[in-house]
Amino acid sequence: MQALLSANLASIHERIRAARPEQGQGAARLLAVTKTVRPEVAAELAALGQLDLGENRPQGLAALDAADRIRSAGARLHFIGQLQRNKARRVVRLADEIHSVDRAELIETLGRVAAEEQRQPRIYLQLKLWPEENKTGLAEAELDAAIEAVLAQPALVLQGLMVMAPWIEDAAVAARAATEVFERCAAIAAERRDAGWAEGRAQLSMGMSGDLEAAVRAGSDWLRIGSALFEGLGPELRR
């Protein structure tokens, strides 16, 4: 298993390097989305030095947190799924970074819970830049108010923006749409470069296995990669 994971990691990093603009963009970081594999697979990734791990459900975070080899390796846990307010406390207790803050009312809940739990999760505001009924996110017109709401919560760290490319069956159309969405997200971030981001500018969480090249070219900081990372893995190691 470790050899397979190592080869897949190397292949993904080569794709990232090949996609990077010549003018010199910072290297996009890989967030391994482990929602489809067993915790022992995530532990092998941590042993290989892949320490940023993402889950879309609270129980997935809990399984990673309970694995001694993962936390002892210094892994950082990211929550990437839609978050219900009644699950906020569990996620705040476990996640170092939350990529999917998709509505204003969730910000107040996260701020209150984080203060009570004495935690300071890093927050990404999720934008919805393509009309899809099955996806959530803030409209661009709602973003400035959401930024101010995060900054008003002392226990929250304003880290960046998250966006998802639209699902479109036609591959060529999907590629163009992904590029449009990623470039628009980067432009929105640039327009708000002085908004109080923790690292001086918005960190961008955008791009997955099928569209990582477009995300890298647009300036992504975090690539949320699952299927390409676990290609070839047997069913006994999957959830």
Side-chain angles (χ1 to χ4, degrees), residues 60-88:
L61 284 179
L64 296 183
D65 185 67
D68 291 339
R69 290 177 60 202
I70 292 174
R71 277 303 197 182
S72 63
R76 293 173 293 273
L77 304 186
H78 301 241
F79 187 77
I80 63 168
Q82 187 177 14
L83 178 55
Q84 301 302 318
R85 293 170 70 187
N86 63 355
K87 303 289 180 64

Side-chain angles (χ1 to χ4, degrees), residues 24-35:
Q25 189 119 322
R29 290 166 287 178
L30 173 60
L31 172 56
V33 178
T34 57
K35 64 181 184 179

Side-chain angles (χ1 to χ4, degrees), residues 102-153:
D102 59 359
R103 58 203 188 280
E105 59 267 26
L106 181 59
I107 296 170
E108 186 278 331
T109 300
L110 288 170
R112 173 177 53 78
V113 168
E116 293 170 357
E117 297 291 334
Q118 298 184 12
R119 296 272 292 169
Q120 284 195 302
R122 293 178 177 269
I123 298 298
Y124 297 75
L125 295 169
Q126 180 176 346
L127 290 171
K128 182 176 180 178
L129 301 179
W130 196 272
E132 288 183 283
E133 291 185 3
N134 63 336
K135 286 182 183 172
T136 62
L138 297 159
E140 185 179 349
E142 300 173 303
L143 179 58
D144 291 329
I147 288 171
E148 292 302 318
V150 175
L151 293 172
Q153 296 288 342

Side-chain angles (χ1 to χ4, degrees), residues 3 42 44 47 56 63 96 125 160 164 170 175 189-190 205 219 234 236:
E44 290 294 340
N56 69 334
D96 302 294
L125 295 169
M164 298 177 68
D170 184 288
S205 172
E236 73 280 2

Side-chain angles (χ1 to χ4, degrees), residues 73 82 111 171 183 204 221 223:
Q82 187 177 14
E183 289 181 349
L204 302 179
D221 295 286
L223 301 163

